[in-house]
Amino acid sequence: MATLLRLVPCTDHSAFPMILVDARPCPGRRPRVAWGIVRITIIGCSGSFPGPDSPASCYLVEAEGFRLLIDLGSGALSAVQRHADLYKIDAVCLSHLHADHCLDVCDYSVARTYHPDGPMPRIPVYGPTQAAVRLGRALAADPAAQDGRPGAAPGHGITDAFSFVTITPGVTEIGPLRVTAAHMNHPVETFGFRLEHAGRALAYSADTGPTEALVDLARDADVLLCEASFAPPDDASAAALPQGLHLTARQAGQHAARAGVGQLVLTHLVPWNDKNASLEEAGQAFGGPLALAAPGLGFVLD
Ligand SMILES: [Zn+2]
């Protein structure tokens, strides 16, 4: 069994400890810790739909005072407010347009557009092609309003609150972060991200089936935040899983091992799975420190 990683609670954001502690540090591996440069807070990590204890996917990344939300899935907007002022978010980055990764962008547009002090300035939303159209239609009671057609009911559009930027594979600078996007193996266009700052790197799988693209994206990253949606009870069940959709916890561990990442955090945990079984499975494939994601916990890349 690999070393268990202890994520730190950050419900009191002002007191967020700037340390990430290995419960049993690996020989030769220096203690993870000290002054935080990039801080990651897990806002939501429930896979495919919100669970009883967590919203769907959402992660708050902070560096040099810049605040970036990676994904904003169902139920996440509520939990974001426990960790950040909604009006001090600088950008949102969407991995793909499945509801559990993007739908709360609609509610966020309402919060920004109808604030008592007046509409808040637009902030960028980085996302796949058609993000503005898809989210605009989800927001509008009358889809014609979003399309600007004559006779449409009045109402605001998603672009009143956000300026959309289409993600393409490659490197983009978002605030102080260097963000590399790569296509993952999922039924809709989906990007995994590698976030780099001051020589440290966080890789995020988003949703994906097995793919070399994730191994390349996560190569030597300090932390891989990797989905582990499937939890087959046996090999026969594993063989029958749909292809090109999600990873098992064991496959998450295998990808982490092949990429040579320092630490692995399992996320996109589907409510009906046994989380501890997933941790055990991943630990059989990855020998480094690992942990289960949980809302309100976080870590720092020092
Ligand atoms: Zn998905």
Side-chain angles (χ1 to χ4, degrees):
M1 182 65 189
T3 302
L4 289 176
L5 191 65
R6 182 170 68 84
L7 300 180
V8 293
C10 43
T11 47
D12 177 358
H13 214 242
S14 62
F16 190 106
M18 291 295 194
I19 53 172
L20 176 63
V21 179
D22 293 347
R24 289 179 292 148
C26 298
R29 188 188 298 277
R30 71 189 178 85
R32 305 293 307 164
V33 79
W35 301 102
I37 292 178
V38 180
R39 179 165 60 186
I40 295 93
T41 303
I42 298 161
I43 302 295
C45 55
S46 185
S48 302
F49 56 92
D53 304 316
S54 176
S57 296
C58 183
Y59 310 91
L60 172 63
V61 179
E62 298 170 89
E64 298 182 20
F66 188 89
R67 296 179 181 86
L68 171 67
L69 291 177
I70 298 290
D71 284 339
L72 191 53
S74 326
L77 192 69
S78 172
V80 167
Q81 295 167 79
R82 296 183 201 133
H83 303 283
D85 184 331
L86 280 188
Y87 306 105
K88 292 183 179 175
I89 298 296
D90 296 291
V92 179
C93 196
L94 303 175
S95 63
H96 65 301
L97 299 178
H98 280 156
D100 63 315
H101 290 257
C102 70
L103 202 56
D104 271 21
V105 169
C106 294
D107 287 338
Y108 192 21
S109 77
V110 173
R112 296 194 70 87
T113 302
Y114 297 109
H115 190 281
D117 294 343
M120 295 290 115
R122 294 197 306 168
I123 59 172
V125 171
Y126 298 80
T129 304
Q130 296 292 303
V133 172
R134 290 277 307 283
L135 290 166
R137 288 179 176 168
L139 171 70
D142 178 357
Q146 183 63 31
D147 295 345
R149 283 179 254 157
H156 82 277
I158 200 85
T159 53
D160 292 344
F162 306 114
S163 55
F164 283 81
V165 181
T166 300
I167 298 174
T168 54
V171 178
T172 304
E173 303 293 334
I174 301 180
L177 300 163
R178 183 177 194 266
V179 180
T180 303
H183 280 133
M184 296 290 102
N185 181 15
H186 202 51
V188 299
E189 183 179 44
T190 299
F191 292 97
F193 300 120
R194 179 186 180 95
L195 280 65
E196 295 172 280
H197 182 269
R200 296 295 182 184
L202 164 73
Y204 170 51
S205 68
D207 285 5
T208 188
T211 175
E212 282 302 305
L214 176 57
V215 175
D216 292 341
L217 186 70
R219 183 80 61 199
D220 298 325
D222 293 276
V223 177
L224 170 59
L225 187 58
C226 191
E227 76 125 288
S229 305
F230 289 145
D234 51 50
D235 290 344
S237 300
L241 290 170
Q243 299 298 302
L245 187 58
H246 290 297
L247 296 173
T248 66
R250 181 182 293 270
Q251 288 170 333
Q254 290 167 342
H255 282 68
R258 285 164 52 209
V261 304
Q263 308 177 58
L264 171 63
V265 178
L266 300 179
T267 191
H268 205 267
L269 304 165
V270 184
W272 52 61
N273 289 342
D274 179 342
K275 293 180 176 62
N276 290 324
S278 293
L279 192 66
E280 177 79 24
E281 285 280 318
Q284 290 178 16
F286 177 69
L290 77 163
L292 292 169
L297 299 188
F299 53 92
V300 164
L301 301 182
D302 60 313

